[in-house]
Short mmCIF file of all heavy atoms in Angstrom, two decimals:
data_model
loop_
_atom_site.label_atom_id
_atom_site.label_comp_id
_atom_site.label_asym_id
_atom_site.label_seq_id
_atom_site.Cartn_x
_atom_site.Cartn_y
_atom_site.Cartn_z
N MET A 1 0.91 -1.18 -0.04
CA MET A 1 -0.04 0.01 0.00
C MET A 1 0.88 1.12 0.03
O MET A 1 1.81 1.31 0.85
CB MET A 1 -0.76 0.00 1.21
CG MET A 1 -2.28 -0.21 1.05
SD MET A 1 -3.36 0.12 2.46
CE MET A 1 -3.25 -1.50 3.30
N ASN A 2 0.61 2.27 -0.89
CA ASN A 2 1.36 3.40 -0.81
C ASN A 2 0.73 4.32 0.18
O ASN A 2 -0.32 4.07 0.72
CB ASN A 2 1.42 4.00 -2.25
CG ASN A 2 0.20 4.46 -2.84
OD1 ASN A 2 -0.67 4.87 -2.04
ND2 ASN A 2 0.05 4.42 -4.07
N ASN A 3 1.42 5.45 0.39
CA ASN A 3 0.97 6.33 1.49
C ASN A 3 -0.41 7.05 1.18
O ASN A 3 -1.11 7.30 2.13
CB ASN A 3 2.01 7.48 1.89
CG ASN A 3 2.40 8.35 0.77
OD1 ASN A 3 2.15 8.04 -0.39
ND2 ASN A 3 3.06 9.41 1.18
N THR A 4 -0.65 7.21 -0.06
CA THR A 4 -1.91 7.87 -0.41
C THR A 4 -3.13 7.03 -0.08
O THR A 4 -4.04 7.54 0.54
CB THR A 4 -1.96 8.25 -1.90
OG1 THR A 4 -0.97 9.06 -2.27
CG2 THR A 4 -3.18 8.98 -2.31
N VAL A 5 -2.94 5.84 -0.31
CA VAL A 5 -4.01 4.77 0.05
C VAL A 5 -4.19 4.66 1.54
O VAL A 5 -5.32 4.63 2.07
CB VAL A 5 -3.67 3.41 -0.50
CG1 VAL A 5 -4.67 2.38 -0.05
CG2 VAL A 5 -3.78 3.49 -2.07
N ILE A 6 -2.99 4.61 2.30
CA ILE A 6 -3.12 4.53 3.76
C ILE A 6 -3.70 5.75 4.29
O ILE A 6 -4.59 5.68 5.23
CB ILE A 6 -1.67 4.43 4.24
CG1 ILE A 6 -1.05 2.99 3.95
CG2 ILE A 6 -1.61 4.49 5.84
CD1 ILE A 6 0.44 2.77 4.18
N VAL A 7 -3.45 6.94 3.82
CA VAL A 7 -4.01 8.11 4.39
C VAL A 7 -5.45 8.24 4.13
O VAL A 7 -6.20 8.54 4.92
CB VAL A 7 -3.29 9.41 3.77
CG1 VAL A 7 -4.04 10.63 4.05
CG2 VAL A 7 -1.81 9.50 4.19
N LYS A 8 -5.96 7.88 2.84
CA LYS A 8 -7.35 7.83 2.67
C LYS A 8 -8.05 6.79 3.48
O LYS A 8 -9.12 7.07 4.01
CB LYS A 8 -7.57 7.54 1.15
CG LYS A 8 -7.24 8.58 0.16
CD LYS A 8 -7.58 8.25 -1.21
CE LYS A 8 -7.22 9.42 -2.17
NZ LYS A 8 -7.41 8.96 -3.59
N LEU A 9 -7.45 5.59 3.55
CA LEU A 9 -8.06 4.54 4.42
C LEU A 9 -8.22 5.01 5.92
O LEU A 9 -9.34 4.94 6.50
CB LEU A 9 -7.26 3.30 4.42
CG LEU A 9 -7.65 2.15 5.23
CD1 LEU A 9 -9.02 1.53 4.85
CD2 LEU A 9 -6.58 1.00 5.20
N MET A 10 -7.13 5.55 6.38
CA MET A 10 -7.14 5.91 7.84
C MET A 10 -8.15 7.15 8.06
O MET A 10 -8.80 7.30 9.02
CB MET A 10 -5.74 6.37 8.33
CG MET A 10 -4.88 5.15 8.55
SD MET A 10 -5.56 3.82 9.65
CE MET A 10 -5.64 4.78 11.21
N THR A 11 -8.23 8.12 7.04
CA THR A 11 -9.08 9.17 7.18
C THR A 11 -10.48 8.73 7.28
O THR A 11 -11.29 9.03 8.03
CB THR A 11 -8.93 10.14 5.89
OG1 THR A 11 -7.63 10.63 5.92
CG2 THR A 11 -9.95 11.27 6.05
N ASN A 12 -10.88 7.76 6.37
CA ASN A 12 -12.25 7.17 6.40
C ASN A 12 -12.50 6.38 7.66
O ASN A 12 -13.61 6.63 8.34
CB ASN A 12 -12.45 6.19 5.15
CG ASN A 12 -12.56 6.91 3.91
OD1 ASN A 12 -12.93 8.11 3.86
ND2 ASN A 12 -12.24 6.26 2.84
N LEU A 13 -11.53 5.57 8.12
CA LEU A 13 -11.77 4.88 9.41
C LEU A 13 -11.95 5.70 10.62
O LEU A 13 -12.84 5.56 11.52
CB LEU A 13 -10.66 3.86 9.59
CG LEU A 13 -10.56 2.73 8.62
CD1 LEU A 13 -9.20 1.97 8.95
CD2 LEU A 13 -11.78 1.83 8.83
N ILE A 14 -11.11 6.86 10.62
CA ILE A 14 -11.29 7.83 11.83
C ILE A 14 -12.63 8.58 11.68
O ILE A 14 -13.27 8.62 12.71
CB ILE A 14 -10.11 8.83 11.78
CG1 ILE A 14 -8.82 7.99 12.15
CG2 ILE A 14 -10.36 9.90 12.73
CD1 ILE A 14 -7.45 8.72 11.96
N GLU A 15 -12.95 9.08 10.50
CA GLU A 15 -14.25 9.81 10.36
C GLU A 15 -15.40 8.91 10.73
O GLU A 15 -16.45 9.44 11.23
CB GLU A 15 -14.36 10.33 8.97
CG GLU A 15 -13.41 11.51 8.64
CD GLU A 15 -13.38 12.00 7.19
OE1 GLU A 15 -13.91 11.28 6.36
OE2 GLU A 15 -12.89 13.03 7.07
N LYS A 16 -15.37 7.64 10.49
CA LYS A 16 -16.59 6.72 10.75
C LYS A 16 -16.34 6.20 12.25
O LYS A 16 -17.24 5.28 12.50
CB LYS A 16 -16.56 5.58 9.81
CG LYS A 16 -16.93 6.11 8.34
CD LYS A 16 -16.86 4.93 7.44
CE LYS A 16 -16.91 5.48 5.95
NZ LYS A 16 -18.24 5.83 5.52
N LYS A 17 -15.42 6.63 12.92
CA LYS A 17 -15.17 6.08 14.30
C LYS A 17 -15.01 4.60 14.38
O LYS A 17 -15.63 3.97 15.22
CB LYS A 17 -16.15 6.69 15.15
CG LYS A 17 -16.11 8.15 15.61
CD LYS A 17 -17.03 8.53 16.66
CE LYS A 17 -16.91 10.02 16.90
NZ LYS A 17 -17.65 10.46 18.09
N PHE A 18 -14.20 4.06 13.49
CA PHE A 18 -14.06 2.56 13.39
C PHE A 18 -13.37 2.14 14.68
O PHE A 18 -13.63 0.97 15.20
CB PHE A 18 -13.22 2.25 12.18
CG PHE A 18 -12.75 0.74 12.09
CD1 PHE A 18 -13.69 -0.13 11.68
CD2 PHE A 18 -11.59 0.40 12.57
CE1 PHE A 18 -13.39 -1.53 11.55
CE2 PHE A 18 -11.20 -0.91 12.45
CZ PHE A 18 -12.07 -1.79 12.00
N TYR A 19 -12.37 2.92 15.18
CA TYR A 19 -11.66 2.56 16.38
C TYR A 19 -12.55 2.91 17.60
O TYR A 19 -13.23 3.89 17.64
CB TYR A 19 -10.29 3.17 16.34
CG TYR A 19 -9.49 2.79 15.24
CD1 TYR A 19 -9.35 3.55 14.07
CD2 TYR A 19 -8.89 1.51 15.27
CE1 TYR A 19 -8.64 3.10 13.01
CE2 TYR A 19 -8.10 1.05 14.16
CZ TYR A 19 -7.89 1.83 13.05
OH TYR A 19 -7.16 1.51 12.01
N GLY A 20 -12.44 2.22 18.69
CA GLY A 20 -13.14 2.48 19.84
C GLY A 20 -12.78 3.73 20.59
O GLY A 20 -13.61 4.41 21.12
N THR A 21 -11.53 4.09 20.56
CA THR A 21 -11.04 5.27 21.28
C THR A 21 -9.99 6.09 20.27
O THR A 21 -9.56 5.46 19.32
CB THR A 21 -10.39 5.02 22.52
OG1 THR A 21 -9.21 4.23 22.26
CG2 THR A 21 -11.28 4.18 23.34
N LYS A 22 -9.77 7.26 20.71
CA LYS A 22 -8.78 8.02 19.87
C LYS A 22 -7.42 7.41 20.17
O LYS A 22 -6.69 7.36 19.16
CB LYS A 22 -8.80 9.42 20.45
CG LYS A 22 -7.59 10.38 19.92
CD LYS A 22 -7.38 11.62 20.69
CE LYS A 22 -6.68 11.31 21.89
NZ LYS A 22 -6.03 12.40 22.57
N ASN A 23 -7.24 6.87 21.23
CA ASN A 23 -5.86 6.25 21.49
C ASN A 23 -5.59 5.01 20.60
O ASN A 23 -4.51 4.80 20.12
CB ASN A 23 -5.67 5.82 22.93
CG ASN A 23 -5.65 7.09 23.87
OD1 ASN A 23 -5.15 8.13 23.48
ND2 ASN A 23 -5.89 6.74 25.19
N GLU A 24 -6.70 4.26 20.34
CA GLU A 24 -6.53 3.17 19.46
C GLU A 24 -6.23 3.68 17.90
O GLU A 24 -5.21 3.00 17.24
CB GLU A 24 -7.85 2.30 19.35
CG GLU A 24 -8.13 1.55 20.66
CD GLU A 24 -9.36 0.78 20.56
OE1 GLU A 24 -9.82 0.28 19.44
OE2 GLU A 24 -10.07 0.69 21.57
N ALA A 25 -6.81 4.66 17.53
CA ALA A 25 -6.62 5.17 16.21
C ALA A 25 -5.18 5.77 16.11
O ALA A 25 -4.46 5.49 15.15
CB ALA A 25 -7.56 6.24 15.81
N VAL A 26 -4.70 6.49 17.18
CA VAL A 26 -3.46 7.08 17.16
C VAL A 26 -2.33 5.88 17.21
O VAL A 26 -1.24 6.12 16.48
CB VAL A 26 -3.18 8.11 18.25
CG1 VAL A 26 -1.79 8.53 18.46
CG2 VAL A 26 -4.24 9.33 17.94
N ALA A 27 -2.60 4.96 17.88
CA ALA A 27 -1.67 3.77 18.02
C ALA A 27 -1.52 3.22 16.58
O ALA A 27 -0.28 2.86 16.19
CB ALA A 27 -2.22 2.70 18.93
N LYS A 28 -2.52 3.09 15.79
CA LYS A 28 -2.39 2.59 14.46
C LYS A 28 -1.62 3.51 13.59
O LYS A 28 -0.75 3.10 12.82
CB LYS A 28 -3.78 2.35 13.76
CG LYS A 28 -3.77 1.65 12.48
CD LYS A 28 -3.33 0.22 12.63
CE LYS A 28 -3.62 -0.56 11.39
NZ LYS A 28 -3.25 -1.94 11.46
N LEU A 29 -1.74 4.87 13.74
CA LEU A 29 -1.11 5.86 13.03
C LEU A 29 0.50 5.85 13.46
O LEU A 29 1.32 6.04 12.71
CB LEU A 29 -1.65 7.27 13.31
CG LEU A 29 -3.10 7.46 12.72
CD1 LEU A 29 -3.56 8.81 13.32
CD2 LEU A 29 -2.98 7.50 11.28
N ASP A 30 0.68 5.52 14.77
CA ASP A 30 2.07 5.39 15.23
C ASP A 30 2.87 4.31 14.51
O ASP A 30 3.94 4.58 14.07
CB ASP A 30 2.05 5.18 16.66
CG ASP A 30 1.65 6.31 17.60
OD1 ASP A 30 1.56 7.44 17.04
OD2 ASP A 30 1.41 6.06 18.78
N VAL A 31 2.09 3.27 14.19
CA VAL A 31 2.76 2.10 13.48
C VAL A 31 3.13 2.60 12.08
O VAL A 31 4.23 2.29 11.62
CB VAL A 31 1.84 0.84 13.54
CG1 VAL A 31 2.49 -0.24 12.63
CG2 VAL A 31 1.68 0.38 14.84
N TYR A 32 2.18 3.16 11.35
CA TYR A 32 2.41 3.59 10.00
C TYR A 32 3.59 4.60 9.84
O TYR A 32 4.50 4.52 9.11
CB TYR A 32 1.16 4.11 9.42
CG TYR A 32 0.05 3.14 8.99
CD1 TYR A 32 -1.24 3.28 9.36
CD2 TYR A 32 0.53 2.02 8.25
CE1 TYR A 32 -2.14 2.23 9.04
CE2 TYR A 32 -0.46 1.11 7.88
CZ TYR A 32 -1.73 1.19 8.12
OH TYR A 32 -2.64 0.38 7.86
N PHE A 33 3.57 5.47 11.00
CA PHE A 33 4.62 6.44 10.90
C PHE A 33 5.94 5.87 11.33
O PHE A 33 6.90 6.15 10.62
CB PHE A 33 4.23 7.59 11.92
CG PHE A 33 5.23 8.75 12.06
CD1 PHE A 33 5.51 9.56 10.89
CD2 PHE A 33 6.02 8.99 13.01
CE1 PHE A 33 6.34 10.64 10.84
CE2 PHE A 33 6.88 10.01 13.13
CZ PHE A 33 7.03 10.82 12.07
N ALA A 34 5.98 5.04 12.19
CA ALA A 34 7.24 4.35 12.58
C ALA A 34 7.86 3.57 11.50
O ALA A 34 9.08 3.44 11.32
CB ALA A 34 7.06 3.53 13.91
N MET A 35 6.99 3.01 10.64
CA MET A 35 7.39 2.18 9.57
C MET A 35 7.71 3.01 8.28
O MET A 35 7.94 2.49 7.14
CB MET A 35 6.49 1.03 9.32
CG MET A 35 6.21 0.13 10.39
SD MET A 35 7.73 -0.75 11.00
CE MET A 35 8.11 -1.76 9.53
N SER A 36 7.61 4.36 8.41
CA SER A 36 7.75 5.30 7.35
C SER A 36 6.78 5.01 6.25
O SER A 36 7.18 5.27 5.00
CB SER A 36 9.21 5.17 6.78
OG SER A 36 10.16 5.50 7.82
N ARG A 37 5.54 4.59 6.54
CA ARG A 37 4.51 4.52 5.52
C ARG A 37 3.77 5.77 5.33
O ARG A 37 3.17 5.89 4.24
CB ARG A 37 3.49 3.39 6.01
CG ARG A 37 4.25 1.99 6.27
CD ARG A 37 4.83 1.43 4.96
NE ARG A 37 3.74 1.02 4.01
CZ ARG A 37 3.88 0.54 2.99
NH1 ARG A 37 5.09 0.09 2.53
NH2 ARG A 37 2.89 0.17 2.09
N ILE A 38 3.79 6.73 6.28
CA ILE A 38 3.10 7.98 6.18
C ILE A 38 4.25 9.11 6.57
O ILE A 38 5.10 8.84 7.34
CB ILE A 38 1.78 8.19 6.86
CG1 ILE A 38 2.06 7.97 8.47
CG2 ILE A 38 0.88 7.19 6.26
CD1 ILE A 38 0.86 8.22 9.20
N SER A 39 4.12 10.28 5.97
CA SER A 39 5.04 11.35 6.30
C SER A 39 4.68 11.95 7.63
O SER A 39 3.62 11.75 8.27
CB SER A 39 5.06 12.33 5.17
OG SER A 39 3.75 13.03 5.16
N GLU A 40 5.55 12.83 8.25
CA GLU A 40 5.39 13.43 9.49
C GLU A 40 4.08 14.41 9.30
O GLU A 40 3.26 14.55 10.22
CB GLU A 40 6.57 14.31 9.74
CG GLU A 40 6.49 14.95 11.05
CD GLU A 40 7.83 15.61 11.58
OE1 GLU A 40 8.86 15.37 10.95
OE2 GLU A 40 7.68 16.35 12.41
N GLU A 41 3.99 15.07 8.11
CA GLU A 41 2.78 16.10 7.87
C GLU A 41 1.56 15.20 7.85
O GLU A 41 0.53 15.60 8.43
CB GLU A 41 3.06 16.78 6.50
CG GLU A 41 1.87 17.71 6.27
CD GLU A 41 2.18 18.42 5.02
OE1 GLU A 41 3.35 18.91 4.66
OE2 GLU A 41 1.19 18.62 4.28
N GLU A 42 1.51 14.11 7.18
CA GLU A 42 0.33 13.22 7.10
C GLU A 42 -0.07 12.73 8.47
O GLU A 42 -1.29 12.67 8.86
CB GLU A 42 0.54 12.04 6.02
CG GLU A 42 0.65 12.52 4.59
CD GLU A 42 1.24 11.34 3.73
OE1 GLU A 42 2.07 10.55 4.11
OE2 GLU A 42 0.86 11.41 2.58
N TYR A 43 0.96 12.34 9.18
CA TYR A 43 0.79 11.84 10.51
C TYR A 43 0.16 12.93 11.38
O TYR A 43 -0.86 12.63 12.14
CB TYR A 43 2.14 11.33 11.21
CG TYR A 43 2.04 10.92 12.67
CD1 TYR A 43 1.52 9.65 12.99
CD2 TYR A 43 2.39 11.82 13.62
CE1 TYR A 43 1.51 9.31 14.31
CE2 TYR A 43 2.35 11.38 14.96
CZ TYR A 43 1.93 10.20 15.32
OH TYR A 43 1.79 9.89 16.66
N ALA A 44 0.74 14.02 11.34
CA ALA A 44 0.16 15.20 12.22
C ALA A 44 -1.43 15.51 11.84
O ALA A 44 -2.16 15.66 12.73
CB ALA A 44 1.07 16.42 12.08
N THR A 45 -1.56 15.51 10.52
CA THR A 45 -2.99 15.79 10.11
C THR A 45 -3.92 14.69 10.50
O THR A 45 -5.02 15.01 10.98
CB THR A 45 -2.98 15.88 8.51
OG1 THR A 45 -2.07 16.87 8.08
CG2 THR A 45 -4.36 16.09 8.02
N LEU A 46 -3.50 13.43 10.46
CA LEU A 46 -4.38 12.32 10.91
C LEU A 46 -4.58 12.34 12.39
O LEU A 46 -5.70 12.08 12.91
CB LEU A 46 -3.88 11.05 10.39
CG LEU A 46 -4.10 10.81 8.84
CD1 LEU A 46 -3.26 9.59 8.42
CD2 LEU A 46 -5.50 10.67 8.48
N VAL A 47 -3.57 12.64 13.22
CA VAL A 47 -3.77 12.72 14.62
C VAL A 47 -4.72 13.87 14.98
O VAL A 47 -5.59 13.67 15.88
CB VAL A 47 -2.40 12.94 15.35
CG1 VAL A 47 -2.56 13.23 16.81
CG2 VAL A 47 -1.50 11.70 15.19
N LEU A 48 -4.60 15.02 14.36
CA LEU A 48 -5.51 16.17 14.55
C LEU A 48 -6.95 15.61 14.24
O LEU A 48 -7.82 16.01 14.89
CB LEU A 48 -5.09 17.44 13.78
CG LEU A 48 -3.89 18.12 14.37
CD1 LEU A 48 -3.48 19.24 13.42
CD2 LEU A 48 -4.24 18.61 15.80
N LEU A 49 -7.05 14.93 13.15
CA LEU A 49 -8.46 14.51 12.78
C LEU A 49 -8.99 13.55 13.89
O LEU A 49 -10.19 13.63 14.24
CB LEU A 49 -8.36 13.77 11.46
CG LEU A 49 -9.68 13.12 10.87
CD1 LEU A 49 -10.72 14.13 10.75
CD2 LEU A 49 -9.39 12.34 9.64
N ALA A 50 -8.11 12.62 14.34
CA ALA A 50 -8.64 11.72 15.37
C ALA A 50 -8.93 12.52 16.66
O ALA A 50 -9.97 12.26 17.25
CB ALA A 50 -7.50 10.70 15.65
N GLU A 51 -8.15 13.57 17.03
CA GLU A 51 -8.41 14.30 18.20
C GLU A 51 -9.84 14.98 18.12
O GLU A 51 -10.58 15.09 19.07
CB GLU A 51 -7.33 15.34 18.49
CG GLU A 51 -6.04 14.61 19.03
CD GLU A 51 -4.91 15.49 19.25
OE1 GLU A 51 -5.18 16.73 19.06
OE2 GLU A 51 -3.94 15.12 19.61
N THR A 52 -10.11 15.55 16.98
CA THR A 52 -11.31 16.26 16.87
C THR A 52 -12.49 15.34 16.66
O THR A 52 -13.57 15.53 17.18
CB THR A 52 -11.35 17.18 15.61
OG1 THR A 52 -11.07 16.46 14.44
CG2 THR A 52 -10.29 18.34 15.87
N THR A 53 -12.29 14.19 15.92
CA THR A 53 -13.40 13.24 15.77
C THR A 53 -13.78 12.64 16.98
O THR A 53 -14.89 12.28 17.31
CB THR A 53 -12.99 12.16 14.69
OG1 THR A 53 -12.66 12.92 13.51
CG2 THR A 53 -14.12 11.18 14.50
N TYR A 54 -12.82 12.13 17.86
CA TYR A 54 -13.09 11.46 19.14
C TYR A 54 -13.16 12.36 20.36
O TYR A 54 -13.13 11.90 21.42
CB TYR A 54 -11.96 10.42 19.37
CG TYR A 54 -12.05 9.22 18.38
CD1 TYR A 54 -11.39 9.29 17.21
CD2 TYR A 54 -12.92 8.05 18.74
CE1 TYR A 54 -11.45 8.05 16.29
CE2 TYR A 54 -13.00 7.00 17.91
CZ TYR A 54 -12.32 7.00 16.54
OH TYR A 54 -12.30 5.92 15.74
N ALA A 55 -13.22 13.72 20.12
CA ALA A 55 -13.34 14.57 21.19
C ALA A 55 -14.58 14.19 22.07
O ALA A 55 -15.60 14.12 21.46
CB ALA A 55 -13.38 16.04 20.78
N GLU A 56 -14.36 14.35 23.39
CA GLU A 56 -15.61 14.08 24.20
C GLU A 56 -16.42 15.30 24.28
O GLU A 56 -15.91 16.38 24.46
CB GLU A 56 -15.14 13.60 25.55
CG GLU A 56 -14.36 12.31 25.67
CD GLU A 56 -13.96 11.84 27.00
OE1 GLU A 56 -14.55 12.45 28.01
OE2 GLU A 56 -13.09 11.06 27.16
N VAL A 57 -17.67 15.10 24.21
CA VAL A 57 -18.60 16.16 24.33
C VAL A 57 -19.02 16.22 25.82
O VAL A 57 -19.51 15.34 26.32
CB VAL A 57 -19.82 15.95 23.47
CG1 VAL A 57 -20.90 17.01 23.50
CG2 VAL A 57 -19.47 15.79 22.00
N PRO A 58 -18.79 17.40 26.32
CA PRO A 58 -19.14 17.54 27.74
C PRO A 58 -20.57 17.53 27.98
O PRO A 58 -21.40 18.08 27.25
CB PRO A 58 -18.49 18.91 28.11
CG PRO A 58 -18.24 19.68 26.85
CD PRO A 58 -18.24 18.73 25.86
N THR A 59 -20.97 16.85 29.06
CA THR A 59 -22.44 16.76 29.39
C THR A 59 -22.79 17.85 30.39
O THR A 59 -21.99 18.14 31.19
CB THR A 59 -22.74 15.39 29.95
OG1 THR A 59 -21.92 15.14 31.18
CG2 THR A 59 -22.51 14.20 29.03
N VAL A 60 -23.98 18.40 30.18
CA VAL A 60 -24.32 19.47 31.04
C VAL A 60 -25.37 18.90 32.13
O VAL A 60 -26.00 18.08 32.04
CB VAL A 60 -25.11 20.57 30.22
CG1 VAL A 60 -25.64 21.66 31.07
CG2 VAL A 60 -24.07 21.05 29.09
#
């Protein structure tokens, strides 16, 4: 898989909340980044997407 496919796949999985938590999604991103499958910029963008997608909504 090239990095474009990985980025699209991870974007879709994060947006659909495939992973149970933000930490699970980021852990998967960590693996791709550690193996040089995605760039630092792509990693940062996807981590920010995970943070906003999995942000807890405060209850009132």
Side-chain angles (χ1 to χ4, degrees):
M1 248 191 271
N2 66 28
N3 65 336
T4 303
V5 173
I6 292 170
V7 171
K8 286 181 182 179
L9 174 67
M10 288 304 297
T11 299
N12 287 336
L13 291 173
I14 292 168
E15 288 176 343
K16 295 176 191 283
K17 291 190 175 185
F18 175 81
Y19 299 99
T21 66
K22 175 192 80 164
N23 289 340
E24 289 178 36
V26 172
K28 186 67 166 186
L29 293 171
D30 289 346
V31 172
Y32 285 129
F33 183 64
M35 300 301 293
S36 299
R37 302 296 292 186
I38 59 175
S39 70
E40 187 173 343
E41 182 178 319
E42 291 165 332
Y43 174 80
T45 301
L46 289 167
V47 168
L48 284 173
L49 176 62
E51 288 178 2
T52 57
T53 301
Y54 288 92
E56 293 182 21
V57 178
T59 56
V60 178

